[in-house]
Amino acid sequence: MSSASSTLAQAPTDRSVSATGRGTDRRTRALLEAPLLPLLLRLAIPNILLMLTQSATGLIETYFIGMLGTDALAGAAVVFPGIMLMQMISAGSMGGGIASSVARALGGGRRDDASQLVWHAVVVNGALGLVCSAGMLIWGERVYHAMGAEGPSLQAAMSYSNVIYAGAVLFWVLNALANVLRGTGNMLVPGAVICGGALLLIPLSPCLIFGIGPFPRMGIAGGAVALLVYYALGTLCLIGFLCSGRAVIKPAWPVWFTWRLFHAILRVGAPACTTSIQTNLTILITTGIVGVFGPAALAGFATGSRLEYLMVPIAFGVGAPLVAIVGTNIGAGHHARALRAAWLGGALGFCLTEAVGVTAALFPISWLSLFGHDPAMLATGATYLRIVGPWYGMFGLGLVLYFASQGAGKLAWPIAAQFFRLVLAGGGGNLAIWLGGNLTGVFWIIGLALGLFGGTVAASILLGGWTARRT
């Protein structure tokens, strides 16, 4: 088999005039020419910190919701995977398609296309947001009941969910605009908006949950209202920055919609969505399996597995720069450089997520006690973290290489790897319960499934998965 670095295929639209010629902006030249490791660290480190800040806002909200009791915590737990699915698709999957299309356009010297892609991105993500909202407002109660929520837990879930999905389109539009900027190599502005929103969200959430000062006491729904305020203001900030002319590209005017540019987004974003769906479907199925053991066990697993979700922003912090670096270099025909960047990013992602996982396995109560002190909840969560935590490194490796594959437009094997994980975790977990197994056996299967995912993605690239001809 020929070397992946020398034979990596590209679409005809990617073989336009290289961006290394005259007139290329400074940011694009850096993606094409700067030393890879310093470039990746310069883009990834602030991006990781900023993505962790965004995740921390959700954890802080969980802390306040936990003060309302175990039923409220369990209710929020069954809503959380759906919110993460929206985040992963809008920011990581379809968002990756947006960033990749912008990066490849700039790398190929097609600046007009990049400017028009701003509006195409908003239309794609906005439409998906409306569909998502309608679906969960209609079928949300059935979904949460199937996950094990009932009685007061189900009531809490619906109070939170109905508010979130009434304004869910804001999640999608904000992440569309953020990924347009990430596709240009600008990680700072989207991150600054996220941090600025966190400064508002952290005090606003408890005020609305508990009715502090002039704010009404809204209970668990108050956290959802605060989150929507955060996304609304963030969207306005990103629109203002793009229209100000300070970005590498400015939204084109007049607007002309064409299938060619929608296809540039969807040919990467649509297949990538299946990976996010499978990731969250895995969590949904395993949450339902654990729900058999009661609300306390459900709350413990959900609280412990939130640390697994924290691996996603860490991997995204490394992976988002890779989409821009790999995509721009693929657009310019620099295939070997794109592959080197992918492996550097994969190694960085593995080290970061493995460090978190091992620490959580050694000190699980330090994490779990932030959200509650119910003995059954702590016992379940600790068992989960001790078994699954050491597998987080493989999960991080797979996710970072998945983002790199988005930049390359090569997603067949990452999608297959996520399917393998789903089959092992969901099917194996249900089989373990059917055979009379306990939670320990279920958690071992979940950990092995993470390892299978990361190992499959890495092996596919190593063995030439990026060399296959596009259809």
Side-chain angles (χ1 to χ4, degrees):
M1 181 177 294
S2 59
S3 170
S5 63
S6 62
T7 62
L8 179 59
Q10 57 179 326
T13 55
D14 289 342
R15 288 195 290 263
S16 52
V17 178
S18 172
T20 55
R22 292 180 299 174
T24 304
D25 63 273
R26 176 181 56 83
R27 195 179 297 275
T28 303
R29 285 200 305 273
L31 297 177
L32 292 168
E33 300 170 0
L36 277 175
L37 183 58
L39 173 66
L40 182 60
L41 291 175
R42 177 169 59 83
L43 295 177
I45 290 175
N47 204 42
I48 292 170
L49 295 175
L50 295 168
M51 295 310 297
L52 288 175
T53 299
Q54 184 181 38
S55 298
T57 60
L59 297 175
I60 292 169
E61 183 183 60
T62 301
Y63 169 78
F64 291 125
I65 290 174
M67 295 173 67
L68 297 174
T70 300
D71 286 326
L73 188 61
V78 295
V79 179
F80 187 70
I83 296 174
M84 282 302 299
L85 178 59
M86 284 199 303
Q87 291 278 33
M88 291 172 69
I89 292 178
S90 63
S93 300
M94 198 59 71
I98 292 166
S100 175
S101 63
V102 171
R104 283 181 282 111
L106 291 173
R110 295 176 278 114
R111 187 170 297 274
D112 288 343
D113 280 358
S115 296
Q116 288 288 347
L117 279 165
V118 177
W119 301 114
H120 289 71
V122 170
V123 169
V124 169
N125 262 19
L128 289 173
L130 292 174
V131 171
C132 181
S133 292
M136 291 307 293
L137 289 172
I138 295 171
W139 294 298
E141 185 171 2
R142 297 178 186 177
V143 172
Y144 304 140
H145 182 72
M147 292 174 64
E150 54 187 32
S153 297
L154 183 58
Q155 293 176 6
M158 292 308 299
S159 296
Y160 190 71
S161 175
N162 284 339
V163 175
I164 285 291
Y165 288 103
V169 70
L170 294 170
F171 288 68
W172 295 80
V173 173
L174 180 142
N175 283 318
L177 298 171
N179 275 286
V180 166
L181 289 171
R182 291 186 180 112
T184 69
N186 188 334
M187 310 294 155
L188 182 60
V189 170
V193 169
I194 289 169
C195 284
L199 294 176
L200 170 68
L201 182 62
I202 291 173
L204 182 60
S205 186
C207 286
L208 291 174
I209 291 173
F210 302 111
I212 299 173
F215 296 94
R217 180 181 175 87
M218 302 179 67
I220 191 173
V225 172
L227 200 61
L228 292 184
V229 171
Y230 163 45
Y231 276 93
L233 294 177
T235 299
L236 292 175
C237 289
L238 291 179
I239 291 174
F241 180 79
L242 279 165
C243 292
S244 70
R246 289 178 290 172
V248 170
I249 58 176
K250 186 176 181 179
W253 191 264
V255 184
W256 45 270
F257 291 108
T258 172
W259 169 244
R260 179 176 62 85
L261 295 182
F262 281 124
H263 182 259
I265 296 172
L266 293 173
R267 75 176 181 84
V268 173
C273 287
T274 64
T275 299
S276 294
I277 291 170
Q278 288 179 118
T279 297
N280 284 271
L281 185 58
T282 302
I283 297 294
L284 290 173
I285 292 173
T286 52
T287 299
I289 293 170
V290 175
V292 172
F293 295 87
L298 177 62
F301 168 72
T303 304
S305 63
R306 282 210 171 200
L307 193 61
E308 179 182 327
Y309 272 123
L310 194 61
M311 301 306 100
V312 176
I314 292 175
F316 185 77
V318 178
L322 278 181
V323 174
I325 295 171
V326 172
T328 303
N329 280 277
I330 291 296
H334 301 171
H335 307 148
R337 177 178 169 87
L339 197 60
R340 288 197 304 272
W343 285 119
L344 282 171
L348 179 59
F350 174 85
C351 292
L352 291 173
T353 53
E354 183 68 4
V356 174
V358 170
T359 301
L362 293 174
F363 310 103
I365 302 302
S366 298
W367 168 262
L368 298 165
S369 61
L370 295 173
F371 308 102
H373 300 281
D374 181 87
M377 183 275 282
L378 293 174
T380 301
T383 301
Y384 166 83
L385 290 174
R386 290 191 181 106
I387 294 172
V388 181
W391 293 97
Y392 282 177
M394 293 300 294
F395 185 44
L397 172 65
L399 285 176
V400 170
L401 293 179
Y402 153 77
F403 285 114
S405 298
Q406 281 187 318
K410 296 291 185 176
L411 288 172
W413 274 108
I415 292 170
Q418 194 59 258
F419 178 72
F420 298 155
R421 179 196 172 197
L422 171 62
V423 170
L424 179 56
N430 275 299
L431 180 62
I433 296 296
W434 184 72
L435 293 175
N438 56 22
L439 282 174
T440 298
V442 172
F443 292 158
W444 270 109
I445 292 171
I446 291 172
L448 290 170
L450 293 177
L452 178 63
F453 166 66
T456 300
V457 179
S460 71
I461 297 175
L462 184 64
L463 296 176
W466 282 11
T467 65
R469 185 179 300 276
R470 281 197 186 101
T471 58

